[in-house]
Amino acid sequence: MNIPFKKEIKRLLDENDEWVEETYDIFNKNSKYFINLVPRPRSSSKRTDNADKTLDLDECFVYWCLIRKYKLKNILELGTRFGTSTRVIRCAQRTFFPDSQTKLYSCDVNKEYRYIHPDEFEFIHRDAKGLFPHFLKENQIDCIHNDAHPYDLIKLSTQAAIDTKIKIMTYHDVSRPEDHPRGSCIKNSFFLSEKEKLEINSNLPFSGIADYGHWERHVICELFSKELLENNFVET
């Protein structure tokens, strides 16, 4: 059975073959609810994929493993866009916790979602920077899924998660170009001043991202260890 990231999932989640294979079987049986919305693992040019803010199919499976392993019943997603990842996450919650109360919040400055029904989640229509830190103190949150790219938002949300002891933080688009075709991490951008990072910020056109990269990896390095600049995307 060719299971994506099997070796990495076993090691990082401290699980065995049987657990990963069972989770993959559950994932495949339920993927009919979103399989036509998510892309296969991407081509070398993400501009051809037309789904920049969406988990690809292999990444969806990794996220299902996280939800099952850590019982992520209350999730905050930053960056809704069309709601594809939102639907994948909600499907996982309902699959693994059918008899439990679960909550999925998703925040975006634009109301564009179309692939998930408004009754299935709580959409927060605002700049996500206004959520922190009070939102984490007022609501039980098990995981923050960060798929919005402004430098100040990533830093603010990550620090707030650390301060309120959120047990799981996930980030989309954090890799070095040599490891994965998306989420470019331009290492030299780490050494820009905070003022420069805020001026450049994110949600840039593709040319800007090519010059500076996404900010997720840089923020993680600032808060934890500069050595993470050198790690591959699976490790991170």
Side-chain angles (χ1 to χ4, degrees):
M1 184 183 299
N2 185 21
I3 299 177
F5 304 126
K6 182 177 182 179
K7 178 179 69 174
E8 292 82 6
I9 291 169
K10 286 171 55 182
R11 180 169 52 81
L12 294 172
L13 301 189
D14 192 25
E15 288 292 352
N16 56 29
D17 284 331
E18 183 180 3
W19 187 92
V20 179
E21 290 167 4
E22 181 182 64
T23 307
Y24 194 55
D25 183 58
I26 295 169
F27 173 77
N28 285 325
K29 286 179 179 177
N30 288 277
S31 65
K32 61 185 177 183
Y33 297 111
F34 53 80
I35 190 72
N36 293 326
L37 301 178
V38 301
R40 298 297 188 269
R42 319 272 176 123
S43 63
S44 59
S45 172
K46 74 174 185 178
R47 281 187 282 187
T48 66
D49 292 316
N50 196 32
D52 289 358
K53 291 175 67 65
T54 300
L55 297 168
D56 69 29
L57 192 61
D58 287 356
E59 293 167 339
C60 289
F61 171 61
V62 174
Y63 214 90
W64 274 53
C65 289
L66 287 172
I67 290 173
R68 185 187 185 195
K69 170 72 176 184
Y70 295 110
K71 298 180 174 59
L72 304 180
K73 296 182 180 181
N74 302 283
I75 297 175
L76 170 63
E77 176 188 42
L78 305 180
T80 313
R81 194 65 184 273
F82 300 142
T84 305
S85 298
T86 318
R87 183 172 178 181
V88 170
I89 293 169
R90 193 64 175 139
C91 183
Q93 287 181 308
R94 289 182 166 176
T95 298
F96 293 124
F97 320 116
D99 300 319
S100 300
Q101 185 174 356
T102 59
K103 196 75 177 180
L104 174 58
Y105 305 91
S106 190
C107 183
D108 207 308
V109 292
N110 298 312
K111 190 174 182 179
E112 299 179 283
Y113 67 85
R114 63 191 69 167
Y115 298 131
I116 183 168
H117 194 274
D119 291 343
E120 296 181 273
F121 76 121
E122 184 171 324
F123 179 67
I124 304 171
H125 190 191
R126 63 176 298 178
D127 186 333
K129 291 193 288 288
L131 294 179
F132 303 101
H134 70 89
F135 187 87
L136 301 185
K137 295 177 179 179
E138 296 168 0
N139 298 276
Q140 180 182 345
I141 299 296
D142 302 316
C143 171
I144 298 177
H145 177 53
N146 203 322
D147 197 9
H149 306 296
Y151 170 81
D152 46 354
L153 170 59
I154 299 165
K155 192 166 186 177
L156 180 64
S157 61
T158 301
Q159 187 62 62
I162 294 170
D163 293 342
T164 53
K165 296 180 171 57
I166 302 298
K167 62 183 178 181
I168 299 291
M169 293 172 280
T170 60
Y171 302 83
H172 198 221
D173 309 312
V174 298
S175 66
R176 303 177 304 176
E178 59 265 37
D179 297 315
H180 202 266
R182 287 176 299 135
S184 57
C185 169
I186 310 302
K187 288 185 283 187
N188 290 342
S189 301
F190 174 79
F191 301 99
L192 295 170
S193 69
E194 182 147 331
K195 180 181 178 181
E196 289 173 310
K197 291 175 183 176
L198 289 171
E199 287 174 350
I200 298 164
N201 221 315
S202 63
N203 292 331
L204 295 164
F206 186 81
S207 58
I209 291 174
D211 291 336
Y212 300 103
H214 288 142
W215 295 116
E216 284 85 346
R217 175 69 66 94
H218 303 315
V219 169
I220 293 169
C221 292
E222 286 179 31
L223 295 176
F224 295 102
S225 171
K226 190 173 71 175
E227 294 178 0
L228 290 170
L229 282 174
E230 306 298 334
N231 282 21
N232 67 42
F233 83 104
V234 173
E235 292 288 344
T236 305

